[in-house]
Amino acid sequence: MKMGKNVYEKSVDPATRAMLLEADRAGIETAWDRFEKQQPQCGFGQLGVCCRNCNMGPCRIDPFGEGADKGVCGATADIIVARNLLRMIAAGAAAHSDHARDAVLAFKKMAEGKAQSYQIKDEAKLNALASEYNISTEDRSPEEVAFDLANILLSEFGKQTGPIQFTRRAPAKRQKVWEAAGIDPRGVDREIVECMHRTHIGVDNDPVHILLHGLRTSISDGWGGSMIATDVQDVLFGTPTPVVSESNLGVLKEDEVNIIVHGHEPILSEMIVAAAEDPDMIALAKKMGAKGISVAGMCCTGNEVLMRHGVATAGNFLQQELAVITGAVEAMVVDVQCIMPALGNLSGCYHTKFISTSPKADFPGAVRMEYHEEKALETAREIIKTAVENYPNRDRARVNIPKEKSACMVGFSAEAILGALGGTPQPLIDAIVSGAVKGVGAVVGCNNPKVQHDYGHVNLVRELIKNDVLVVTTGCNAIACAKAGLLRPEAAKEAGSGLRAVCESLGVPPVLHMGSCVDISRILVLAAALANHLGVDISDLPAAGAAPEWMSEKAVSIGAYVVASGVYTVLGTVPPVLGSSEVTNVLTKGVGGVVGATFAVEPDPFKAADLMIDHIQEKRKGLGLKS
Ligand code: BF8
């Protein structure tokens, strides 16, 4: 028996607990074991006071004031912490925005007729985007419009001056806040390059100045890169509408070929979902002794195909290894981001083929089946064939699929939410004004073995809905909520009486799944619609955000742009900033004077919910609404 936390302390999810026991029995290591082997984690790193930005170092500041109080160059803890945080934002913004770039490049190839597997699925959205950019649609084919749109979107990434177009979706008051603070961003590529320049030895050494650029960069992600990814993917693959599906490891099939699509970009997984329905592939699966082919998702690639096609999700970030340990996965197909390199070794212990598809992302132990838009469907078919032919290698004695799975209703794009409300946010505003719905909580983000898996997600969301706060969710929080049954319309029974009545009248869950992490841009669009309708700024809305179990650099960029957009945000795991009282004060207090919102850190989800509810009540008061 391994030492450390028991499975109950590691996760609240019964399927996860069952698979952790199985991992133990099989002597297989998981992220939780590796986390325990890392203890105690580096205290300098946790405080953010370690600098590796030049080769006079590495330097670190003694947090107890007994050793070095400056790096070799003279950088203080405040400077080092701020620089490190800026680099985290840059990496997170880069991940989202490079994803967006690939989506636009695929979109352009489609428009040029070079990527025959793709079509325009949402022409109305194409035309709406074209009109935002003043691209003529009259007497032109959708492909001609798409070509112009692709080119103009590509130019947004490197835009050197002036605002990027989607930031104009923010309320005018918010745009003025950004302009006044000097953080209205240029293209995301430019902002990220400037992050790296500023954090090079001997450039930007004022913590506040550094942090302001962090906000600017993050806005170029949220209202730029991420928003471009969401919108282009909607045009190419369809804007999500409500659909019912299932979640958790129990969605894997005993008697079918199981293929998991994992990562973030839907460009290939869309094709895999289509190719899995090919009668030739199904016939091949039957020839191999399986009853059919079952595709399931993991992490945000999973969220993308869940939202658009109702493809079941097998789990969130910390469940990726557990899926392989079921012994029932023929292929784990990955693209980019949040994919553990440990999957290579692990797959070697089972029959699972670990297939890496992105030209950018290779992994030890992975089979490379590189994907290019020109032959997307062909590659998807090859991947399916590889998985199907692997089915006879499944060792039935080692198959252990947990029984847990939950129904979920997903697909709540901003368009779908407004559609359900009759095309205008007015009914939601009426519910907020009457107090039936107290406000909106956006709960997002990762898993992190530092905290009990899904505990923060599920408890925070339950507490919010109990107090009549409508929850919108994305990423791994959305999957946690799905597994806990919170994405079912029946979950309205867990809500306070006001929210319950609203949800029951609309037939929707009290927790609305809005997509993957780049789709937090959908939450921004919804917030802008509410604020514009009320004629106020986003920071005036009775709304709050949270990332109870965050761990990735993308989450740092998200947190920064959500706060920069005016939304108070509570983090459940501590960011590496406590080594600087100045940076900590700016993030939790000072930034409020600039953008009208701050960060808080609260690991206890019940206390975090209280903070969010207090904030929502304060904003209600500001709008003259009763509490
Ligand atoms: O982009 S929530 S662990 S899967 S980073 Fe990753 Fe975090 Fe999950 Fe999606 Ni987002």
Side-chain angles (χ1 to χ4, degrees):
M1 193 68 181
K2 291 170 192 165
M3 299 301 286
K5 291 180 185 168
N6 66 42
V7 295
Y8 294 93
E9 293 165 317
K10 286 177 181 168
S11 177
V12 297
D13 172 31
T16 296
R17 289 172 174 171
M19 292 321 299
L20 284 172
L21 286 172
E22 174 62 23
D24 244 6
R25 268 194 296 274
I28 300 279
E29 181 187 81
T30 67
W32 281 274
D33 303 309
R34 294 188 294 274
F35 174 74
E36 274 162 22
K37 283 187 190 162
Q38 284 292 332
Q39 301 309 311
Q41 286 178 310
C42 172
F44 296 107
Q46 282 176 329
L47 295 174
V49 291
C50 170
C51 180
R52 292 184 297 108
N53 292 12
C54 85
N55 205 28
M56 293 191 290
C59 298
R60 76 271 181 280
I61 306 302
D62 185 337
F64 304 108
E66 286 165 8
D69 64 349
K70 288 183 191 70
V72 176
C73 71
T76 59
D78 296 326
I79 294 170
I80 291 172
V81 169
R83 285 198 306 219
N84 288 342
L85 189 66
L86 186 58
R87 285 200 168 192
M88 290 184 89
I89 292 173
H96 285 146
S97 303
D98 213 32
H99 164 170
R101 188 192 330 271
D102 281 344
V104 181
L105 289 171
F107 181 57
K108 184 173 174 183
K109 282 191 183 153
M110 179 281 305
E112 293 171 318
K114 292 180 185 163
Q116 305 273 343
S117 316
Y118 301 104
Q119 296 99 36
I120 292 162
K121 290 265 179 67
D122 189 340
E123 210 176 311
K125 189 147 187 174
L126 170 73
N127 290 337
L129 293 173
S131 122
E132 256 181 287
Y133 279 104
N134 287 322
I135 296 169
S136 161
T137 53
E138 218 163 297
D139 299 326
R140 303 183 76 204
S141 72
E143 286 71 23
E144 284 171 320
V145 175
F147 181 77
D148 284 359
L149 180 62
N151 280 332
I152 206 160
L153 288 174
L154 284 173
S155 72
E156 290 284 57
F157 290 90
K159 194 163 187 187
Q160 299 301 311
T161 53
I164 46 176
Q165 183 58 37
F166 288 167
T167 54
R168 302 308 94 175
R169 293 176 173 181
K173 287 182 181 166
R174 183 65 6 196
Q175 293 175 36
K176 290 219 171 68
V177 167
W178 293 338
E179 279 157 23
I183 58 172
D184 196 10
R186 302 150 301 181
V188 66
D189 288 356
R190 175 164 187 188
E191 302 304 2
I192 292 167
V193 167
E194 194 169 313
C195 287
M196 301 313 286
H197 182 189
R198 286 185 187 223
T199 54
H200 186 276
I201 168 147
V203 185
D204 199 357
N205 289 288
D206 179 289
V208 173
H209 197 232
I210 291 169
L211 294 173
L212 282 172
H213 186 65
L215 295 182
R216 172 154 63 171
T217 305
S218 73
I219 299 166
S220 72
D221 170 11
W223 296 85
S226 286
M227 207 169 269
I228 291 174
T230 296
D231 281 3
V232 164
Q233 288 171 179
D234 280 356
V235 174
L236 268 180
F237 308 128
T239 303
T241 53
V243 60
V244 169
S245 187
E246 290 180 324
S247 60
N248 216 343
L249 291 166
V251 305
L252 297 174
K253 304 280 191 332
E254 286 274 358
D255 48 8
E256 293 188 26
V257 175
N258 288 307
I259 299 170
I260 292 190
V261 287
H262 172 26
H264 285 75
E265 296 180 352
I267 310 275
L268 176 63
S269 51
E270 279 281 326
M271 293 299 116
I272 289 187
V273 171
E277 287 166 7
D278 182 330
D280 289 350
M281 289 294 152
I282 295 170
L284 182 64
K286 289 190 174 154
K287 202 169 135 199
M288 294 290 156
K291 286 208 171 125
I293 302 170
S294 175
V295 178
M298 179 71 61
C299 289
C300 284
T301 290
N303 280 325
E304 298 280 358
V305 289
L306 172 70
M307 290 280 284
R308 294 198 179 87
H309 304 286
V311 169
T313 175
N316 51 9
F317 175 71
L318 276 176
Q319 290 179 285
Q320 55 189 286
E321 293 174 286
L322 309 181
V324 175
I325 295 170
T326 63
V329 175
E330 275 59 53
M332 171 72 84
V333 186
V334 302
D335 48 69
V336 291
Q337 302 169 22
C338 304
I339 300 149
M340 293 187 190
L343 286 176
N345 259 343
L346 176 64
S347 306
C349 302
Y350 290 83
H351 78 300
T352 305
K353 297 264 188 216
F354 177 36
I355 301 174
S356 130
T357 63
S358 166
K360 287 174 199 164
D362 208 350
F363 298 84
V367 180
R368 282 197 66 68
M369 297 182 78
E370 215 171 274
Y371 144 84
H372 297 278
E373 294 91 354
E374 294 84 349
K375 51 183 185 77
L377 194 56
E378 208 179 310
T379 308
R381 284 171 59 88
E382 269 172 47
I383 290 171
I384 303 262
K385 190 160 172 275
T386 304
V388 168
E389 288 173 347
N390 193 26
Y391 184 75
N393 296 326
R394 192 190 282 189
D395 179 352
R396 298 203 168 266
R398 295 184 77 192
V399 171
N400 185 351
I401 303 174
K403 61 181 184 327
E404 287 81 11
K405 58 179 174 181
S406 296
C408 52
M409 181 189 268
V410 303
F412 291 95
S413 55
E415 291 87 341
I417 293 173
L418 291 174
L421 295 170
T424 154
Q426 192 59 48
L428 179 55
I429 287 169
D430 291 344
I432 291 173
V433 169
S434 76
V437 173
K438 296 280 183 259
V440 180
V443 191
V444 304
C446 322
N447 295 139
N448 186 331
K450 284 182 173 172
V451 296
Q452 192 182 20
H453 171 238
D454 286 354
Y455 172 83
H457 287 315
V458 170
N459 286 301
L460 174 55
V461 168
R462 282 213 157 98
E463 208 53 27
L464 290 174
I465 63 171
K466 206 165 88 187
N467 285 281
D468 292 312
V469 174
L470 174 70
V471 172
V472 290
T473 174
T474 62
C476 287
N477 176 274
I479 302 171
C481 290
K483 292 183 292 172
L486 292 165
L487 303 188
R488 298 169 306 138
E490 302 82 62
K493 291 193 185 76
E494 295 194 41
S497 58
L499 177 60
R500 177 179 175 168
V502 170
C503 292
E504 286 178 348
S505 74
L506 293 169
V508 299
V511 184
L512 303 178
H513 189 337
M514 293 192 73
S516 62
C517 287
V518 292
D519 291 338
I520 293 170
S521 62
R522 299 190 196 279
I523 301 179
L524 297 179
V525 167
L526 184 66
L530 290 173
N532 283 334
H533 206 75
L534 282 166
V536 300
D537 193 357
I538 293 175
S539 55
D540 299 319
L541 294 174
E549 303 180 22
W550 77 273
M551 62 87 198
S552 71
E553 290 166 313
K554 287 182 290 173
V556 181
S557 177
I558 291 166
Y561 74 65
V562 170
V563 166
S565 300
V567 180
Y568 169 73
T569 297
V570 185
L571 305 176
T573 63
V574 185
V577 300
L578 297 186
S580 162
S581 53
E582 183 176 0
V583 172
T584 305
N585 276 329
V586 168
L587 296 176
T588 56
K589 294 188 188 85
V591 71
V594 182
V595 294
T598 57
F599 284 99
V601 177
E602 179 48 71
D604 180 330
F606 298 94
K607 291 185 186 156
D610 286 345
L611 288 175
M612 292 171 77
I613 293 163
D614 287 350
H615 176 81
I616 284 170
Q617 290 293 11
E618 197 187 302
K619 293 293 167 182
R620 289 184 66 83
K621 213 159 121 192
L623 290 172
L625 306 176
K626 67 178 192 310
S627 60

